[in-house]
Amino acid sequence: MNKSNCIERLTVQIYRATVDTDRVSSRIASAVKHKVQNLNLTLGHENNKFMLPHSFSAFESLNELCLGLMFTLHIPSELEWYNCYWENIKQISVAISTLRKLRIKFEHFSVRYDHDMKLQIDAVNLLSLSCRCNPTIEFIPVNLTSVVDASIDLGGLFPPYDLYAAQCVVELLSGLSNVKSLKLSAATLQCFYPRKDTLNLLSTFYNLTHLGVFSSHPENTSEVLMDILRKTPKLEVLEIPGVVHNYLGGEDLMLNSVPCCFKSSLNRLCIFNFYGDEYEIKFLTFMLKNCQYLGDIKIHSSRHLTADAEKLDDVRNQLEDLGPESCVI
């Protein structure tokens, strides 16, 4: 071990015995120095408590980590989970008072949809959260009132649009109700689509000023987005991935329940993948009519519109006629 500068694989396996955590930590610290690429920790006594050493955060060479633990794992500093595969794990708890940024990325194969798993996050000083995983993980947010910005993408390739998934999304978002900036994937919004009644359980985002929805396929998100906008009374900036036919959801209905931020605070709108079709122009007309403080609209043309010079000019002329002097399009 000391003769080589690099170690490809290190395995530590202790079954049915008390773990000498100091010796295990010493092995891990040595593995960091020797640039271990594959680390397997299998520690099997339920009465043990084990904290990853501080040197673990400098493990830049690590490509694969396999943890087989029967007890609570304590993590000492900031944290990023990327493509972890969880098998036979019921609950993970993250309790780090010094944590400032947390990034979680589990691909669709990391946790099976039929696998009940809970992830509790207790980080009183957390400022930024980025989460990308399937919606069947039940997040238990604890003391996340300090989070300023969050990016949530819950969906996967074939997300289960059922009551359980919708409840999981509500629980996570409600725990982030103090955020100022929030980005949501269309897949996250689609979790609500068959169970829109669960949106009534969603907390109001009283501090939210910037909301962005990202996706190349915004279908089935319009009604849900409008419901969420009714819970953002101080929203100033709205970014949407495109306009779909049913965004207004029936103009008469929409006029009777316009989100209050339209009348009081929304001042910037950004639309991506704009085709210049009639329903999109109608949507802009509606926004200009009902958003009293809207002063800036940024429109990103789709490739189809950009390639059609004649239609592009026509759309520009229509937008010039739409916009009041107080709003720059």
Side-chain angles (χ1 to χ4, degrees):
M1 182 172 177
N2 295 324
K3 295 181 180 180
S4 174
N5 290 327
C6 299
I7 300 175
E8 182 177 347
R9 181 186 299 270
L10 174 65
T11 298
V12 179
Q13 295 180 326
I14 303 176
Y15 297 99
R16 299 179 183 177
T18 300
V19 177
D20 186 335
T21 57
D22 291 337
R23 292 188 64 184
V24 175
S25 297
S26 177
R27 290 287 185 267
I28 294 176
S30 180
V32 172
K33 295 179 181 178
H34 288 79
K35 303 183 184 301
V36 164
Q37 299 178 26
N38 187 310
L39 177 62
N40 185 328
L41 288 178
T42 303
L43 309 175
H45 197 288
E46 60 184 8
N47 293 326
N48 284 129
K49 292 182 179 180
F50 179 66
M51 175 178 286
L52 290 177
H54 288 275
S55 59
F56 196 84
S57 61
F59 226 140
E60 297 180 355
S61 63
L62 192 64
N63 293 325
E64 183 175 337
L65 172 65
C66 181
L67 297 176
L69 308 176
M70 293 182 62
F71 50 81
T72 302
L73 175 68
H74 298 272
I75 302 172
S77 60
E78 296 187 3
L79 179 62
E80 178 172 346
W81 279 331
Y82 182 82
N83 278 359
C84 299
Y85 185 83
W86 305 105
E87 185 174 3
N88 299 322
I89 294 179
K90 293 296 184 182
Q91 179 166 332
I92 298 174
S93 297
V94 179
I96 310 175
S97 61
T98 59
L99 193 63
R100 296 293 188 274
K101 180 181 290 187
L102 175 59
R103 295 180 180 178
I104 302 172
K105 182 180 179 182
F106 300 160
E107 295 294 357
H108 67 282
F109 52 78
S110 299
V111 181
R112 299 191 308 271
Y113 289 137
D114 60 349
H115 176 55
D116 294 333
M117 174 180 165
K118 297 180 180 180
L119 202 164
Q120 178 173 298
I121 304 173
D122 185 353
V124 67
N125 292 304
L126 190 67
L127 298 176
S128 178
L129 173 65
S130 176
C131 180
R132 179 181 178 184
C133 60
N134 71 61
T136 58
I137 297 178
E138 181 183 351
F139 283 86
I140 306 174
V142 180
N143 294 326
L144 298 186
T145 57
S146 61
V147 176
V148 176
D149 67 88
S151 177
I152 307 299
D153 180 8
L154 306 180
L157 291 180
F158 305 101
Y161 300 138
D162 55 19
L163 177 60
Y164 179 71
Q167 290 174 336
C168 288
V169 177
V170 165
E171 188 168 8
L172 175 58
L173 293 182
S174 293
L176 300 172
S177 59
N178 279 354
V179 294
K180 294 182 178 180
S181 176
L182 179 62
K183 293 182 179 179
L184 298 173
S185 69
T188 303
L189 298 182
Q190 286 174 7
C191 291
F192 291 111
Y193 189 69
R195 300 306 303 260
K196 291 189 285 292
D197 55 311
T198 56
L199 284 167
N200 297 326
L201 304 175
L202 189 65
S203 298
T204 298
F205 296 86
Y206 287 106
N207 297 323
L208 189 65
T209 59
H210 191 139
L211 175 62
V213 179
F214 56 95
S215 174
S216 58
H217 303 286
E219 292 81 3
N220 295 337
T221 63
S222 55
E223 294 181 49
V224 173
L225 178 58
M226 285 300 177
D227 286 335
I228 290 180
L229 287 173
R230 295 184 182 99
K231 294 180 177 289
T232 60
K234 297 181 180 178
L235 191 68
E236 298 177 4
V237 181
L238 175 63
E239 297 180 355
I240 56 177
V243 178
V244 295
H245 285 280
N246 61 339
Y247 243 122
L248 298 182
E251 188 168 354
D252 293 337
L253 175 63
M254 186 64 193
L255 289 173
N256 291 329
S257 55
V258 172
C260 64
C261 63
F262 283 16
K263 300 290 187 181
S264 62
S265 58
L266 188 67
N267 58 60
R268 190 185 310 168
L269 174 65
C270 184
I271 302 174
F272 294 88
N273 206 30
F274 192 81
Y275 286 84
D277 291 333
E278 182 180 355
Y279 67 90
E280 293 172 305
I281 301 297
K282 183 179 180 181
F283 174 77
L284 284 174
T285 302
F286 173 85
M287 295 298 290
L288 287 167
K289 179 180 178 181
N290 291 278
C291 300
Q292 299 176 4
Y293 296 93
L294 193 58
D296 183 18
I297 299 179
K298 291 186 178 181
I299 299 174
H300 298 260
S301 300
S302 66
R303 293 182 178 179
H304 293 83
L305 180 58
T306 303
D308 190 338
E310 183 177 350
K311 184 175 182 179
L312 186 60
D313 288 338
D314 179 60
V315 169
R316 283 180 176 147
N317 292 331
Q318 292 184 64
L319 295 180
E320 288 179 359
D321 294 337
L322 280 180
E325 294 182 359
S326 60
C327 182
V328 177
I329 301 179

